[in-house]
Amino acid sequence: MSTLILVPQGAEYQAVCRGLSRVTSSPAKVLALPMGIEPVRQYLQKLTHIGENRILMMGLCGSLSQKYQVGDLVLYQNCLYQGNLQECDNSFTADIHNQLGDHVSLVKGLTSDCVVCKATEKSHLHEQYGTDVVDMEGYALLEFFQQSANRQVAILRVVGDDAHYDIPNITSAISGDGSLKPLPLAWQLIRQPLAATRLITGSLKGLKALTTVTQLLFTP
């Protein structure tokens, strides 16, 4: 079955492309997504022709639970947004789980409108909703493809920041079209050097794992 991979633009997209470039005959096609739920909704509306039966979202996520550490692979069972729940496809998710085995954990995802940066907020969200990880795009993807009966959707992500520490609040660095603004991003990182170091170190470890799992998943 042919697979379409959707990945947030920038470093995450490049990490997945690196993984696929190491596979001799990959049956997958990759598209870069904007960041954030509304930009993703708008982007998906403009996707005119999708020939693939299987849609896989990949990328980094933040952990809301002490259980999941930086570099851990997580496979979503479902995704929550503002009290609404969307389920991932059981059959596609099971196939990925069987292929990756003990390397991956099944989790409940949460989609947020902004970057969840405080450790206290992460533990609050985990307790309030029972969700394990957070992203900014997952729900929009599941919502969009739920109408198409012949499409299977799964979400596989890598933890890029854990629930123990704060990371810089980079929400203001994300523009309305879902791209990152370099100057506001740099400013937020400079303002909080310790949190910035954690974010960068965690992201680099997460991106490395993202490349590895992409290669693993699509090697025949």
Side-chain angles (χ1 to χ4, degrees), residues 70-71 159-161 194-207:
V70 170
V159 175
D161 63 278
L194 190 61
T197 304
R198 281 201 198 100
L199 176 66
I200 292 162
T201 309
S203 297
L204 290 173
K205 187 174 179 181
L207 292 167

Side-chain angles (χ1 to χ4, degrees), residues 35-51:
M35 288 173 72
I37 191 162
E38 283 310 326
V40 168
R41 279 174 171 159
Q42 289 161 25
Y43 174 88
L44 292 171
Q45 295 292 345
K46 291 175 194 160
L47 275 186
T48 47
H49 178 70
I50 299 169

Side-chain angles (χ1 to χ4, degrees), residues 14-218:
Q14 289 158 9
V16 168
C17 289
R18 259 196 307 279
L20 282 179
S21 71
R22 297 172 187 172
V23 180
T24 43
S25 57
S26 167
K29 178 180 160 190
V30 198
L31 290 177
L33 284 173
M35 288 173 72
I37 191 162
E38 283 310 326
V40 168
R41 279 174 171 159
Q42 289 161 25
Y43 174 88
L44 292 171
Q45 295 292 345
K46 291 175 194 160
L47 275 186
T48 47
H49 178 70
I50 299 169
E52 291 78 12
N53 322 76
R54 292 189 147 181
I55 316 291
L56 177 62
M57 176 173 270
M58 296 183 77
L60 299 181
C61 63
S63 174
L64 299 176
S65 159
Q66 307 288 344
K67 193 175 166 186
Y68 303 106
Q69 307 300 320
V70 170
D72 286 356
L73 302 180
V74 293
L75 185 59
Y76 286 32
Q77 293 169 298
N78 50 39
C79 196
L80 184 73
Y81 174 69
Q82 294 186 347
N84 299 304
L85 192 70
Q86 292 282 355
E87 299 288 335
C88 295
D89 181 81
N90 286 333
S91 154
F92 189 13
T93 301
D95 285 352
I96 296 170
H97 193 246
N98 291 339
Q99 203 175 340
L100 298 176
D102 297 339
H103 297 296
V104 70
S105 303
L106 286 167
V107 296
K108 293 177 168 65
L110 175 73
T111 292
S112 169
D113 288 313
C114 58
V115 177
V116 179
C117 51
K118 295 255 179 246
T120 48
E121 194 185 353
K122 290 178 184 184
S123 88
H124 173 69
L125 290 169
H126 175 61
E127 285 164 25
Q128 188 177 4
Y129 300 115
T131 46
D132 306 297
V133 295
V134 63
D135 67 32
M136 294 179 71
E137 302 86 18
Y139 184 88
L141 183 84
L142 294 171
E143 174 189 54
F144 181 78
F145 286 108
Q146 67 158 344
Q147 298 96 345
S148 37
N150 59 339
R151 294 245 161 68
Q152 300 179 326
V153 184
I155 301 176
L156 175 67
R157 287 188 177 252
V158 178
V159 175
D161 63 278
D162 63 27
H164 299 278
Y165 301 106
D166 295 354
I167 57 167
N169 188 353
I170 58 165
T171 303
S172 61
I174 302 168
S175 64
D177 65 0
S179 61
L180 270 177
K181 297 183 279 192
L183 285 175
L185 176 64
W187 173 241
Q188 290 301 332
L189 297 181
I190 290 163
R191 284 181 65 200
Q192 302 163 77
L194 190 61
T197 304
R198 281 201 198 100
L199 176 66
I200 292 162
T201 309
S203 297
L204 290 173
K205 187 174 179 181
L207 292 167
K208 198 173 172 187
L210 194 56
T211 298
T212 306
V213 73
T214 305
Q215 184 182 353
L216 195 61
L217 204 55
F218 292 97

